[in-house]
Amino acid sequence: MEDESGFSLVSPLKRTWSRRGQTPVLRTSIRHRDRLSLLGALLVSPGGGRIHLSIQSHWHSLTGVEVIAFLHQILHLVPGPIVLVWDRHATHKRKLVQEFLAAHKRLHTFYFPVASPELNPTEFVWAQISEYTAGTAPHNRHELQNNVFSAVARTRRSQKRLSACLLGSRLNWVT
């Protein structure tokens, strides 16, 4: 299951603590254009015995070139045939990407139905990362990257969290 997401310096605020009578102030950057774009995939072994989270990051908008680089990464990580399930994002439909898929017979591609992120387990990975980074109020790219990568590492090292992403979707991924 592959998907894309982005994280900016304007982090969502959920809740915070302060002393009674003192309104908390979290200062963050207002530079909306600094955005860390992530490509991510949950790699599930046959039978679902192991789940691995593969991530690639970029400081610019994603194009078909980045999608192909990420697919190369997955091809190097996984031996044998690969069932790739993803949404109908514009970058997935690019001619360059479609030609790449046609040239790599190990990749068997299926699409999620339109407007159904709740079926994509990788969306639950993004939710975990967003929850972890909420309220961190990074001041610059370096802080944002550290916050996001810490959240990725936390999710990646927990088979329980990765399994929860599969279970959270409404599809039976492992039989």
Side-chain angles (χ1 to χ4, degrees), residues 66-119:
E66 287 79 22
V67 171
I68 289 171
F70 187 62
L71 292 175
H72 269 295
Q73 177 178 312
I74 291 172
L75 284 166
H76 285 30
L77 286 172
V78 179
I82 299 169
V83 176
L84 175 65
V85 186
W86 57 7
D87 58 19
R88 297 178 189 276
H89 192 273
T91 56
H92 302 160
K93 296 188 270 185
R94 300 267 190 261
K95 183 179 179 185
L96 189 67
V97 173
Q98 292 302 311
E99 289 172 351
F100 179 85
L101 293 171
H104 291 82
K105 301 301 182 193
R106 287 179 47 212
L107 290 168
H108 305 277
T109 310
F110 297 92
Y111 292 95
F112 287 110
V114 174
S116 58
E118 71 280 358
L119 299 178

Side-chain angles (χ1 to χ4, degrees), residues 132-168:
Y132 184 84
T133 59
T136 57
H139 294 94
N140 54 47
R141 285 176 149 201
H142 180 72
E143 285 181 19
L144 174 63
Q145 184 170 318
N146 283 344
N147 293 346
V148 170
F149 287 1
S150 292
V152 167
R154 175 179 170 250
T155 301
R156 180 182 276 149
R157 72 177 161 256
S158 171
Q159 284 295 299
K160 186 175 179 180
R161 288 183 185 281
L162 295 174
S163 294
C165 295
L166 286 177
L167 294 172

Side-chain angles (χ1 to χ4, degrees), residues 13-80:
L13 299 177
K14 297 236 174 178
R15 64 189 133 180
T16 188
W17 298 91
S18 70
R19 293 183 177 185
R20 182 176 290 160
Q22 295 179 349
T23 303
V25 177
L26 292 176
R27 300 203 186 279
T28 185
S29 173
I30 58 171
R31 294 175 55 195
H32 299 278
R33 293 190 180 175
D34 278 344
R35 188 167 183 78
L36 183 62
S37 299
L38 298 181
L39 290 132
L42 284 173
L43 308 175
V44 183
S45 66
R50 288 287 296 158
I51 306 168
H52 175 75
L53 174 60
S54 183
I55 296 280
Q56 198 175 82
S57 66
H58 300 276
W59 281 107
H60 56 270
S61 296
L62 300 174
T63 67
V65 173
E66 287 79 22
V67 171
I68 289 171
F70 187 62
L71 292 175
H72 269 295
Q73 177 178 312
I74 291 172
L75 284 166
H76 285 30
L77 286 172
V78 179

Side-chain angles (χ1 to χ4, degrees), residues 3-5 38-40 55 122-130:
D3 199 40
E4 300 80 20
S5 188
L38 298 181
L39 290 132
I55 296 280
T122 311
E123 292 286 352
F124 294 93
V125 171
W126 305 142
Q128 286 185 29
I129 294 170
S130 293

